[in-house]
Amino acid sequence: MSGGSVRDRILDAAVRLVEKKGAKGFGQVKVAHEAGLKQGHLTYYFPRKTDLVAGVIQRITQKLRSDVVGLLSTHVDPARREALLFDIVRRLLLERGRAWLLIGLVAESAEDDQLRRELAEGLRVQRELFARLVGRSPDDDEVRLAMAALRGLGIENLVEPDDPERLEALVARVRRVLTDPAAPE
């Protein structure tokens, strides 16, 4: 087995655990078990839990960037491309597992400056891609507000699951506000 495939198995297992259980499901022993490895194999690739968390953050950021950039570079009808991109954003921000993942990563990075920087970079990339999607600057206050609202909806949905149709309507409303300057707020 090549080094990359073992590393990938570890990162995939870590993401699955955090998506299922949040921060409490994220530990080296649990990740090694989920990946079907001995803990020694995991610690060879990720000597400290901090290294594992940083790897997860980098993995998610890389995957998002790859998905969005790949979609932007394909020859798809612009309206269809926008719909596909918003679907990526919707899933990223409203799927319960993704909300657990974000909360877990925030909790893990609370006491570690390196992890906080990694997470901040991941969120910056997310905001940049979202801004690119709607043709705005990543520093646009409405882009920041939309991202915060969508993340908040995802977290709220963890605590008190809402009607999926209502959540989709709220995401559609955010989309209208960002893509149609004449839309009522």
Side-chain angles (χ1 to χ4, degrees):
M1 202 178 276
S2 72
S5 64
V6 172
R7 189 176 196 284
D8 289 343
R9 278 178 49 200
I10 293 167
L11 292 173
D12 290 343
V15 169
R16 277 193 310 273
L17 283 174
V18 178
E19 285 179 340
K20 283 188 229 172
K21 301 180 181 185
K24 72 179 181 181
F26 192 83
Q28 288 182 309
V29 173
K30 292 177 183 178
V31 172
H33 183 266
E34 177 78 12
L37 301 169
K38 293 181 181 180
Q39 187 176 354
H41 286 104
L42 184 140
T43 56
Y44 174 80
Y45 291 94
F46 302 97
R48 300 172 302 141
K49 185 176 180 182
T50 302
D51 300 322
L52 181 58
V53 174
V56 168
I57 293 168
Q58 292 165 2
R59 169 81 166 229
I60 292 165
T61 302
Q62 175 190 19
K63 173 89 171 96
L64 177 62
R65 183 181 281 138
S66 172
D67 288 351
V68 173
V69 169
L71 190 53
L72 286 171
S73 66
T74 60
H75 300 290
V76 176
D77 171 55
R80 175 79 176 127
R81 180 182 299 149
E82 181 183 297
L84 291 170
L85 287 167
F86 256 99
D87 186 56
I88 290 170
V89 170
R90 182 193 54 74
R91 284 192 327 252
L92 184 69
L93 298 175
L94 292 182
E95 285 182 357
R96 293 175 59 89
R98 295 297 177 169
W100 274 123
L101 180 62
L102 178 60
I103 290 170
L105 294 174
V106 168
E108 289 294 329
S109 67
E111 302 295 323
D112 188 297
D113 289 340
Q114 174 198 349
L115 289 179
R116 216 172 14 262
R117 285 190 298 274
E118 290 280 351
L119 187 55
E121 174 64 11
L123 295 176
R124 184 194 61 74
V125 167
Q126 194 180 72
R127 189 176 64 246
E128 260 182 27
L129 294 170
F130 187 76
R132 193 169 167 190
L133 160 66
V134 295
R136 293 181 180 232
S137 164
D139 296 322
D140 184 313
D141 287 342
E142 288 183 336
V143 168
R144 287 178 177 267
L145 184 61
M147 295 296 289
L150 292 169
R151 286 187 189 110
L153 286 171
I155 291 169
E156 184 179 295
N157 194 38
L158 284 176
V159 177
E160 185 177 0
D162 203 347
D163 173 28
E165 289 179 15
R166 183 166 181 260
L167 286 172
E168 291 298 333
L170 290 169
V171 171
R173 185 173 177 187
V174 168
R175 179 179 179 175
R176 275 193 314 276
V177 167
L178 288 171
T179 59
D180 182 3
E185 295 194 23

